[in-house]
Amino acid sequence: MRARVAENGRLDFAKSAPKAFRALVGFDAAAREGLDPALVELIQIRASHLNHCAYCLHMHTNDARRAGECEDRLHLVAVWREAPHFFTDRERAALALTEAVTLVADRGVPADVYAEAAAHFDDTELARVLALIFAINTWNRVALSTAKVAGTDTR
């Protein structure tokens, strides 16, 4: 059976693998359950920066704005270490964990990064933060592999 093709010549993942797509949507929803929406967007934005995913970066910065996130923080999330006073200790721990997990092949997840995150999140929250990081990294790979175009989100 021929794959359904999007306008960009790549397959439309949602249409071509609907069961896998729905499973990913469900995983993403379960991951974010109970987490602060601002934290969710910061994590998704930072992973999307690191993965060079313009489609997801555009989507999640717009979602963050709609949720009331300020422009200063959106502009500074990529350089959060140089502007720590814009982010809470909890957010900084989540951003460091996001970077470590997203770039896991570089040096794994350092014990100090994990310990700092564990100090700010209980086990359930930490598991959800990790699941959210796994989910956005998967979404980034879906968008990049299928050449999703920034600004074309139709949710």
Side-chain angles (χ1 to χ4, degrees):
M1 182 174 169
R2 181 144 163 67
R4 297 179 192 191
V5 177
E7 289 180 21
N8 61 16
R10 304 269 178 111
L11 71 84
D12 182 325
F13 183 76
K15 290 180 181 173
S16 298
K19 198 170 181 179
F21 183 82
R22 284 191 307 273
L24 185 51
V25 168
F27 181 72
D28 184 273
R32 64 182 60 223
E33 187 177 303
L35 293 177
D36 173 31
L39 180 66
V40 167
E41 296 306 330
L42 291 175
I43 289 168
Q44 294 180 123
I45 290 166
R46 187 63 190 127
S48 297
H49 283 143
L50 294 169
N51 288 319
H52 303 267
C53 185
Y55 179 83
C56 293
L57 186 57
H58 182 266
M59 177 191 315
H60 293 297
T61 54
N62 282 336
D63 288 350
R65 282 185 192 92
R66 280 192 291 277
E69 187 59 76
C70 74
E71 289 298 316
D72 284 342
R73 284 169 38 102
L74 291 177
H75 292 295
L76 294 171
V77 70
V79 292
W80 64 271
R81 283 185 177 84
E82 287 75 33
H85 57 288
F86 280 89
F87 304 96
T88 67
D89 290 344
R90 184 174 162 97
E91 290 168 339
R92 289 192 306 271
L95 290 168
L97 186 62
T98 299
E99 291 177 356
V101 172
T102 300
L103 303 172
V104 70
D106 291 350
R107 60 185 186 125
V109 177
D112 62 322
V113 171
Y114 186 90
E116 185 67 19
H120 290 282
F121 297 94
D122 66 31
D123 287 352
T124 300
E125 292 171 323
L126 183 57
R128 288 181 178 152
V129 167
L130 284 167
L132 182 66
I133 297 166
F134 305 156
I136 188 56
N137 274 281
T138 302
W139 284 123
N140 289 162
R141 282 150 179 77
V142 168
L144 290 164
S145 299
T146 60
K148 298 288 280 183
V149 176
T152 63
D153 174 38
T154 58
R155 293 174 298 144

